[in-house]
Amino acid sequence: MAVAADGTLTNDSNASATEGATSGEHSSQESSRNGVVRYAQSPQGRRVLLMVAAAAVIALMIGIWMWSQKTEYRVLFSNFSDRDGGAIVASLQQMNVPYKYSEGGSAILVPETMVHDARLKLASQGLPKGGNVGFELMENQKLGVSQFLEQVNFQRALEGELARSIQSLSAVQAARIHLALPKASVFVRDQQKPTASVILSLYPGRGLDAQQVSAIVHLVASSVPELSPKSVTIVDQNGNLLSDTTKQPANGLDPTQLKYVQDLQQDIIKRVESIIAPIVGTGNVRAEATADVDFSRSEQAAETYKPNQTADTAAVRSKQSSESQNGNSSTSGIPGALTNQPPAPATAPIVNPPVAAGAPGAAGAAAATPATSSGTSHKDATINYEVDKTVRYVQQPMGGVKRLTVAVVVNYKRTMDQTGKVVMKPLTEAERNQISDLVKEAMGFNKDRGDSLNVVNTQFSSEMEPELPLWKQPDMIQLAKEIGKYVLLAAVLLYLYFGVLRPIIWKLSGREEREAKERAEAEAKAEAAAAAAMYDPDNPDAIVELSPEAAEADARSEYKKNLESVKQLAKSDPKLVASIIKSWVNNE
């Protein structure tokens, strides 16, 4: 028993056993470590380590090269249905096109150089179908299908075809259509019109204007018999009603009117610049136009009367005249039946035309004419003329131009001075007037309408069109990045080859040892030649001081002699050599 440092009793035998076991473990670990070190220092171990290092360097070079040649993948299709995804993957496998999925699995990626080719080949196969079933559904009709099922399949096919057509628009990501087709009835009063509902999913940041919505409405209405455009409802993915034609803008402005004004102004600007550019040069003229357009719609009715006309130019509407006579009158003639007959009825005009001789009644008229008459006569005449008037209905169309305002800036003209230097000079008065006249003709100048034109001739500032230096241009930056990438890759590969891999290969092939041996032999020969040169034959006992290289060569030759003597001893007395090596191993 023994007392420990902390006052506890310990067993000497157990302590010694524990210490022995611990020392045994340490000695085994130390021996294994020494064995690994000796194996690594041995020629075979060094050769294995060099081979491993060479393999690692080669693998690193291959990895760097593969990284530099890494294929860039681009999106082939995204947001597709599971059925379309399976068909696309199967077709890509048949075409031996590598592919992979995105992180979320919502897109199929293919190499960048094969995107367009793969899309065209898949499009020829009708992929992707967009998840909508079209009229190909009618190709798989089974025998004995009921009329109701046929009608349902036809409606599904029609909805799918319409959805495909709408999805072809650039702003539409997906579309779904519901058609309500009433059943035909023989009673006229029970006839119902079909209706349609369209749900659109637009791409992020995209929208549809009024014209595009109207186009979709008329597309659906034209594809379904007896479907009115008013019965088509379009809703986007946010629940906004897009087909509400009764909705008016809050500010009273119509987008189509604003677009018309902008197009009109741009057309005037284009015409002005196109006619002035050949005179002053491209880029030396700038124009802006402002159009005041009247979008009000008015109707006007006017009734105009002309003043009184003369009698010869006026149109007679009606004419009345009367004549009366008063006073004593005596009738003479042969009494009898002819004398007592009443006078003949009057004809229009009041003044009777003369009766031709021999006509019926001519004798009676002659007999009724009094032979003598005395008294007064009265005549009245009334003439009614037509009223001359003009009735005019005028409807003013909307969109008329009320006033145009155009501003034109022309740069100074380039001329050469006597020294051959380019100078900028203003235009002459005649040239400015010529440009003004051309602009007036191009814009349709109307003085009565209140149009205005302002032409200014001044020198353009050079800061308007700054030129980027060559090293700041995006194309040159991209080219420099590509060149730098390959230069850096080549530098790394050359360093790994000449700095690491090549020395390892030389060591494995023994070339480095042969070169070292050749250098040592050359140095030994040089030292021997130097020693021979320093030998004095007259004084053989003289001590010659050797250089460090010669001393090292002597030591090396002495080591070789000792090694040969040890080899002879091992052959002659191997037990002695074994006991010496055992003592070295046991550190005795």
Side-chain angles (χ1 to χ4, degrees), residues 182-192:
K183 188 176 181 180
S185 176
V186 296
F187 300 98
V188 178
R189 295 181 178 178
D190 296 339
Q191 294 291 342
Q192 297 180 0

Side-chain angles (χ1 to χ4, degrees), residues 363-380:
T369 304
T372 61
S373 61
S374 63
T376 62
S377 63
H378 180 75
K379 293 183 179 181
D380 291 332

Side-chain angles (χ1 to χ4, degrees), residues 75 109 112 120 139 455 516 523:
V75 177
L109 309 178
E112 183 179 9
L120 293 176
E139 299 176 357
V455 179
E523 291 175 357

